[in-house]
Amino acid sequence: MKVNFTQKNLFNLFLFLVISQLGIAQNITGKIIDSQTGEAIPYANIQVNNSESLISNLEGYFTLSEKYSSDETIITITYLGYAHRQMSVLDLKKAQNTVRLIQGIVELNDVDISNEKPDANKIMAKVKENLKRNYNEGQPKKDLIFVRNSTAFKPTKFDFEIDKSTVLTSKALKSTNAELSAFTKLLIAEPPHQFTDYLCNYYTATTKKDGKDELLTKLEVLKATKLKNENRSTSLDDLEKKFTDIILQNLDSTKFYRVKSGLFGSRDTISLRKDYNKSKNIKVENQLTASKSYLDYYMKRNDILSAKRLAFINKPDQYDYVYEGATYSKENEFVYVISFKPRKSKAKYTGKIYVSENDFAVLRTDYTLEEGEKEFGFNMKLLLGVKFSVNVSKGTIIYKQNPNDNGYFMQYAALESGQYFYFNRPIKFIELTKGEKDVVKFELKVEGSSKDKTEYMNMKREEVSKATVEDFKEEDFKFINIKKYDPKIWKDYSAIEPLEEMKQFK
């Protein structure tokens, strides 16, 4: 069959353009490994075109957004104890998207800074002495931040039924208990789990209120997603709402109630009447307020100057320290490597701290609860039927020098928390009236665990004026709900490369 030459060439040109467009401006994913062992290197720093900074995930992966996908983009990879490496995206492609880092000349146990082995306790005393100078957050600033939070609720036992009701007929009571049983079986079979991502500009400045310093924060969310399976309860918020709906639908909407559990009663008045709730001026928290509150709380929990979890840095008298050796940073400065463990009863963590020899700044810390320790615990199982403990608490925090070389800021933080809970108590809703009272009594027994993990990545810090922060107008936003992870969602932005757990979530 003879094909018109012009048509054929037009077709080939069209095909070439389509293929070319598919190859242009795609996200580039790389992996950072040890050149000798081939093992993944987590939490390595990736500087992109001297503009944004990324961090490799726990599996060693990182992803460049479309705007940094051109062959000319320059990335600089650094990690404590390894020689830093600079390469173009073209070089990365030629290396099958793998970055091999070579260990530095200095090994941890091979070098002492002087003829005398450094004293770990003296080093940590210097760290404390220089904390305020090294981590001064007084200057107004604008941070480009990516946050990923995952929550999981895993009940191993969940018994919930109405034991008594003066409101429901026996038929309605049977039907409601059947609904409750189906609800709790679903929770155990398909426990709630969700991932929340958001990219934002986070503005901070110190202001005065009543003669005292007060931190002013503003949040601008650029994009936000929630990954959850709509066919099941996938978040604690969803769980709370469904749980509440089932309870309240069995109460008379025209009456007022008080709650009692065992010997304890609540003074709060509960009612389904719209006029009552309206008169109470109950405010619904919007997405912006909730997200900013969470970020403010996260920053406070990781404040190197005051966080209780970081007492191994800001209260070194509570811990024992051992000098493990030294390594080099990318600036070829010595970095002390110090391990720590609890010395006093208030101390709970064990781990390592990496300290700059130049200014005694903490560059990184890895920590976890010492075996058998709990961050918090409450055990009244026999007396009240309640037990709760935070039995998992671990994290990694990495600090980076400010753009003006004046002090350091938190570049990356990963905080994982796990809880055990047990609750076995009756719950009564008692009508508020002088005469015969309506009573609905629930029997609730639940046991299980929950897990919360938040990753924080500060990609870019800019100093701004105080007026910029004060004048910025916040706007609410909406989450994009997704049923499975799609890398295209973040193609225009930099983000933390997800772990396989998130990629395979359904």
Side-chain angles (χ1 to χ4, degrees), residues 165 213 300 305 339-340 373 422 489:
S165 175
D213 287 341
K300 187 175 181 179
L305 299 177
S339 63
F340 61 88
E373 283 285 355
Y422 175 89
I489 289 177

Side-chain angles (χ1 to χ4, degrees), residues 432-487:
L432 288 175
T433 182
K434 292 183 179 180
E436 187 176 347
K437 305 177 187 295
D438 282 344
V439 178
V440 179
K441 180 184 175 185
F442 294 85
E443 291 289 343
L444 175 62
K445 184 176 183 179
V446 58
E447 184 176 15
S449 62
S450 62
K451 183 177 73 172
D452 183 280
K453 182 178 180 179
T454 300
E455 288 185 275
Y456 164 103
M457 180 171 68
N458 190 328
M459 296 180 288
K460 187 175 183 179
R461 164 161 287 193
E462 300 176 63
E463 291 188 355
V464 296
S465 67
K466 184 177 178 182
T468 298
V469 181
E470 292 176 332
D471 296 341
F472 179 77
K473 304 298 182 185
E474 295 178 308
E475 294 182 3
D476 197 16
F477 69 96
K478 290 184 179 180
F479 281 99
I480 301 171
N481 292 316
I482 55 178
K483 295 183 179 179
K484 65 177 182 179
Y485 182 77
D486 183 357

Side-chain angles (χ1 to χ4, degrees), residues 382-397:
L382 296 178
L383 182 62
L384 302 177
V386 178
K387 184 178 180 181
F388 176 82
S389 66
V390 179
N391 50 18
V392 176
S393 180
K394 58 184 178 179
T396 291
I397 305 178

Side-chain angles (χ1 to χ4, degrees), residues 145-147 295 298-299 410-413 454-458:
I145 294 170
F146 182 86
V147 178
L295 187 55
Y298 188 79
M299 298 300 290
M410 187 171 71
Q411 181 192 10
Y412 176 83
T454 300
E455 288 185 275
Y456 164 103
M457 180 171 68
N458 190 328

Side-chain angles (χ1 to χ4, degrees), residues 125-192:
K126 283 288 187 180
V127 167
K128 183 178 180 181
E129 181 183 325
N130 289 279
L131 276 178
K132 289 185 178 180
R133 184 195 69 183
N134 286 329
Y135 303 94
N136 181 8
E137 293 288 337
Q139 177 67 31
K141 63 194 74 70
K142 172 186 175 183
D143 292 325
L144 178 62
I145 294 170
F146 182 86
V147 178
R148 171 169 294 140
N149 173 254
S150 66
T151 56
F153 176 78
K154 297 181 180 180
T156 55
K157 181 179 292 184
F158 206 128
D159 298 328
F160 184 36
E161 66 175 3
I162 300 178
D163 182 58
K164 176 183 178 182
S165 175
T166 59
V167 178
L168 301 177
T169 64
S170 58
K171 184 178 180 180
L173 180 60
K174 184 177 180 180
S175 175
T176 299
N177 280 333
E179 183 182 359
L180 289 171
S181 178
F183 171 67
T184 54
K185 286 180 180 178
L186 177 62
L187 281 176
I188 293 176
E190 298 184 28

Side-chain angles (χ1 to χ4, degrees), residues 203-231:
Y203 298 82
T204 56
T206 302
T207 61
K208 289 284 186 181
K209 185 176 182 180
D210 299 327
K212 296 181 180 179
D213 287 341
E214 185 176 84
L215 185 64
L216 173 66
T217 63
K218 297 284 185 73
L219 188 65
E220 178 187 20
V221 176
L222 305 175
K223 193 165 192 176
T225 65
K226 276 190 178 180
L227 172 60
K228 59 181 183 178
N229 186 330
E230 298 293 347
N231 295 324

